[in-house]
Amino acid sequence: MARIGIVCYPTYGGSGVVATELGKSLASRGHQVHFITYEQPFRIDHLNENIFFHEVNVRDYPLFEYPPYVLALASRMVDVVRHEKLDLLHVHYAIPHATAGYLAKQILLEKGIHIPVVTTLHGTDITLVGRDLTYKPVVRFSINHSDCVTAVSESLKQDTLKHFEVDKEIKVVPNFISIKQPKFKDCPETFRKAFCPEGERLLVHVSNFRPVKRVEDVVRVFSKVREKIPAKLMLVGDGPERPKVERLCRELGVCKDIRFLGKVNPLDELLCVSDLFILPSEQESFGLAALEAMAYGVPVVSSNAGGIPEVNIHGETGFVCPVGDLEGMAKASLHVLAEDQLPKFKQRAREQADRFSTEKVVPVYEEIYASVMNKPVQEV
Ligand code: GMT
């Protein structure tokens, strides 16, 4: 059993969710897991004797217009590795975690401690922010100096190879989902009955409402669907685009059929009553939100951005359309929602989610940990 340090963003967002679920699963498999972040990860919802949390405090100083989080994080990593005798660090999202990992590793090396660093690339750390020249040289360097690099989809791996001169092998380890059974039996229908009293179809979208998610497309697709069949839409999450999305609902006159639910956690009760998940993202290295929906038997109509087609199988678990193809997405939604189609799509969505179960994916990370822990010390 290993002592593993996990570094991630603790807030609402796919990489933090994956890192936290990974930590929880590793802890239940007997590993000792130490989260090193500026806040307790929001998905840690119960006590576990194998889970520890080490807060990173950034000390402010009048001179600092931008307090140096990466230095505080690296210092905390050094401290935790030494005193908790960690075997490895697994950092999620390259910026700035892979860089802090590199720093911590070098500092520890001076003290004769070799700590392997595994970096998992999640998406915009490569495709958007990471590629920006503001960060690119540091991101490239930090990736190349990780002991092992993983990407959450083949598409993200290819993007990394295209945009960075990476001299490391990148292993694809997909995101995963814990399939808790039996959840469909227990699905509370109260909310659905109140929101869809006439048996309307229920569409759902979950995101952080950033421009890359194209939430306005969700509303436009919904509006087209609603012209043809009785339907309702739940918008879950919050973020910078919300005011624009609310304005659009008013313009299109569809407000009464849309519920903005804000940041709901957990999502179980909403997903298990939903009929269709809409994910029209401009960029999406994987689409964890879609996978979570599928685990509840919710088919997906999505864009074809990034790694989404590796998760949402066109014509099987839903449909994949070009980014911005509102007509296509509306047509696909109507097809999936048809009485004679929906059960088949629901069944296949569930089967697809099973392929990404915790039980299948977490052992792959364990193999990676074993391989880096056996590596001899390398001076960089
Ligand atoms: O890159 C982001 O948008 C943030 C990131 C996150 O930390 O929430 O999301 C990315 O990582 C998720 C987990 O691996 C993936 O499911 C998302 O597809 C990915 N987002 C994008 O690529 C836009």
Side-chain angles (χ1 to χ4, degrees), residues 13-15 18 93 122-124 152 175 210 283-288:
S15 63
V18 171
Y93 204 89
H122 278 274
T124 50
V152 297
N175 288 331
R210 283 178 300 152
Q283 278 177 9
E284 202 70 72
S285 67
F286 184 87
L288 183 66

Side-chain angles (χ1 to χ4, degrees), residues 205 207-215 218 280-282 284:
H205 168 81
S207 77
N208 45 22
F209 282 56
R210 283 178 300 152
V212 75
K213 302 290 176 183
R214 295 181 68 105
V215 187
V218 178
S281 308
E282 180 102 38
E284 202 70 72

